[in-house]
Coordinates of all heavy atoms in Angstrom, one line a residue:
N18 N -8.8 7.7 -7.0 CA -9.1 6.4 -7.6 C -10.4 5.7 -7.1 O -11.1 5.1 -7.8 CB -7.9 5.5 -7.5 CG -6.8 5.7 -8.6 OD1 -7.2 6.0 -9.7 ND2 -5.6 5.6 -8.2
D19 N -10.5 5.8 -5.8 CA -11.8 5.2 -5.2 C -13.0 6.0 -5.6 O -14.0 5.3 -5.8 CB -11.6 5.3 -3.6 CG -10.7 4.2 -3.1 OD1 -10.8 3.1 -3.6 OD2 -9.9 4.5 -2.2
W20 N -12.9 7.3 -5.7 CA -14.0 8.0 -6.2 C -14.4 7.7 -7.7 O -15.5 7.5 -8.0 CB -13.7 9.5 -6.1 CG -14.8 10.4 -6.7 CD1 -16.0 10.7 -6.3 CD2 -14.7 11.1 -8.0 NE1 -16.7 11.5 -7.1 CE2 -15.9 11.8 -8.2 CE3 -13.7 11.2 -9.0 CZ2 -16.2 12.5 -9.4 CZ3 -13.9 11.9 -10.1 CH2 -15.2 12.6 -10.3
L21 N -13.3 7.5 -8.5 CA -13.6 7.2 -9.9 C -14.3 5.8 -10.1 O -15.3 5.7 -10.7 CB -12.3 7.2 -10.7 CG -11.7 8.5 -11.1 CD1 -10.3 8.4 -11.7 CD2 -12.6 9.2 -12.1
V22 N -13.7 4.8 -9.4 CA -14.2 3.5 -9.5 C -15.6 3.4 -8.9 O -16.4 2.5 -9.3 CB -13.2 2.4 -9.0 CG1 -13.3 2.4 -7.4 CG2 -13.4 1.1 -9.6
G23 N -15.9 4.3 -7.9 CA -17.2 4.2 -7.3 C -18.4 4.6 -8.2 O -19.5 4.2 -8.0
G24 N -18.0 5.2 -9.4 CA -19.1 5.6 -10.3 C -19.6 4.4 -11.1 O -20.7 4.5 -11.7
L25 N -19.0 3.3 -11.0 CA -19.5 2.1 -11.7 C -20.5 1.3 -10.9 O -21.0 0.3 -11.4 CB -18.3 1.2 -12.1 CG -17.3 1.9 -13.1 CD1 -16.0 1.2 -13.1 CD2 -18.0 1.8 -14.5
G26 N -20.6 1.6 -9.6 CA -21.6 0.9 -8.8 C -20.8 0.1 -7.7 O -19.6 0.1 -7.7
S27 N -21.6 -0.6 -6.9 CA -21.0 -1.3 -5.8 C -20.2 -2.5 -6.3 O -20.6 -3.2 -7.2 CB -22.1 -1.7 -4.8 OG -23.0 -2.6 -5.4
G28 N -19.1 -2.8 -5.6 CA -18.3 -4.0 -5.9 C -17.2 -4.2 -4.9 O -17.1 -3.4 -4.0
Q29 N -16.5 -5.3 -5.1 CA -15.3 -5.5 -4.2 C -14.1 -4.9 -4.9 O -13.6 -5.2 -5.9 CB -15.1 -7.0 -4.1 CG -14.1 -7.4 -3.1 CD -14.4 -8.7 -2.4 OE1 -15.3 -9.5 -2.9 NE2 -13.8 -9.0 -1.4
V30 N -13.6 -3.8 -4.1 CA -12.5 -3.0 -4.6 C -11.2 -3.4 -4.0 O -11.1 -3.5 -2.7 CB -12.8 -1.5 -4.4 CG1 -11.6 -0.7 -4.9 CG2 -14.1 -1.1 -5.1
S31 N -10.2 -3.6 -4.8 CA -8.8 -3.8 -4.3 C -7.8 -2.9 -4.9 O -8.1 -2.4 -6.0 CB -8.4 -5.3 -4.4 OG -8.5 -5.6 -5.8
V32 N -6.7 -2.7 -4.3 CA -5.6 -1.8 -4.8 C -4.7 -2.7 -5.8 O -4.4 -3.8 -5.5 CB -4.8 -1.3 -3.6 CG1 -3.6 -0.5 -4.1 CG2 -5.7 -0.5 -2.7
L33 N -4.4 -2.0 -6.9 CA -3.6 -2.7 -7.9 C -2.1 -2.7 -7.5 O -1.4 -3.7 -7.6 CB -3.8 -2.1 -9.2 CG -5.1 -2.3 -9.9 CD1 -5.2 -1.6 -11.2 CD2 -5.3 -3.8 -10.2
S34 N -1.6 -1.5 -7.0 CA -0.2 -1.4 -6.6 C -0.2 -0.9 -5.2 O -0.4 0.3 -4.9 CB 0.5 -0.4 -7.6 OG 1.8 -0.2 -7.2
Q35 N 0.1 -1.8 -4.3 CA 0.0 -1.5 -2.8 C 1.0 -0.5 -2.4 O 2.2 -0.6 -2.7 CB 0.2 -2.8 -2.1 CG 0.2 -2.7 -0.6 CD -1.2 -2.3 -0.1 OE1 -2.2 -3.0 -0.3 NE2 -1.2 -1.2 0.6
A36 N 0.6 0.5 -1.6 CA 1.5 1.5 -1.1 C 2.0 1.0 0.3 O 1.4 0.1 1.0 CB 0.8 2.8 -0.8
H37 N 3.2 1.4 0.6 CA 3.9 0.9 1.8 C 4.3 2.1 2.7 O 4.5 3.2 2.2 CB 5.1 0.0 1.5 CG 4.7 -1.3 0.8 ND1 4.4 -1.4 -0.5 CD2 4.6 -2.5 1.4 CE1 4.1 -2.6 -0.8 NE2 4.3 -3.4 0.3
G38 N 4.5 1.8 4.0 CA 4.9 2.9 4.9 C 6.3 3.3 4.6 O 7.1 2.5 4.1
G39 N 6.6 4.6 4.8 CA 7.9 5.1 4.5 C 8.8 5.1 5.7 O 9.4 6.1 6.1
A40 N 9.1 3.9 6.3 CA 10.0 3.8 7.4 C 11.4 4.2 7.0 O 11.9 3.8 5.9 CB 9.9 2.4 8.0
S41 N 12.1 4.9 7.9 CA 13.4 5.4 7.5 C 14.5 4.3 7.7 O 15.5 4.3 7.0 CB 13.9 6.6 8.4 OG 13.8 6.2 9.8
H42 N 14.2 3.2 8.5 CA 15.2 2.1 8.7 C 15.0 1.0 7.8 O 13.8 0.5 7.7 CB 15.1 1.7 10.2 CG 15.6 2.7 11.2 ND1 15.2 2.7 12.5 CD2 16.4 3.8 11.0 CE1 15.8 3.8 13.1 NE2 16.5 4.4 12.2
S43 N 16.0 0.6 7.1 CA 15.8 -0.4 6.0 C 16.5 -1.7 6.4 O 16.3 -2.7 5.8 CB 16.4 0.1 4.7 OG 17.8 0.4 4.9
H44 N 17.5 -1.7 7.4 CA 18.2 -2.9 7.7 C 18.3 -3.1 9.2 O 18.3 -2.2 10.0 CB 19.6 -2.9 7.1 CG 19.6 -3.0 5.7 ND1 19.4 -1.9 4.9 CD2 19.9 -4.1 4.9 CE1 19.5 -2.3 3.6 NE2 19.8 -3.6 3.5
K45 N 18.3 -4.4 9.7 CA 18.5 -4.7 11.1 C 19.8 -5.6 11.2 O 19.9 -6.6 10.5 CB 17.3 -5.5 11.6 CG 17.3 -5.9 13.0 CD 16.0 -6.6 13.4 CE 16.0 -6.9 14.9 NZ 14.8 -7.6 15.3
L46 N 20.6 -5.2 12.1 CA 21.9 -5.9 12.4 C 21.8 -6.5 13.8 O 21.5 -5.8 14.7 CB 23.1 -4.9 12.3 CG 23.6 -4.5 10.9 CD1 22.5 -3.6 10.2 CD2 24.9 -3.7 11.0
E47 N 22.1 -7.7 13.9 CA 22.1 -8.5 15.1 C 23.5 -9.0 15.4 O 24.1 -9.6 14.5 CB 21.0 -9.5 15.2 CG 19.6 -9.0 15.1 CD 18.5 -10.1 15.2 OE1 18.9 -11.2 14.9 OE2 17.4 -9.8 15.6
F48 N 24.0 -8.8 16.6 CA 25.3 -9.3 17.0 C 25.4 -9.4 18.5 O 24.5 -9.1 19.2 CB 26.4 -8.3 16.4 CG 26.3 -6.9 16.9 CD1 26.9 -6.5 18.0 CD2 25.4 -6.0 16.2 CE1 26.8 -5.1 18.5 CE2 25.3 -4.7 16.6 CZ 26.0 -4.3 17.7

């Protein structure tokens, strides 16, 4: 995607759908 959009010339590029890290832990329990 970065290579494709680079063909249009210089500009301010941002991601449309942000990727997130694949952490295995999804919940935190405190007691």
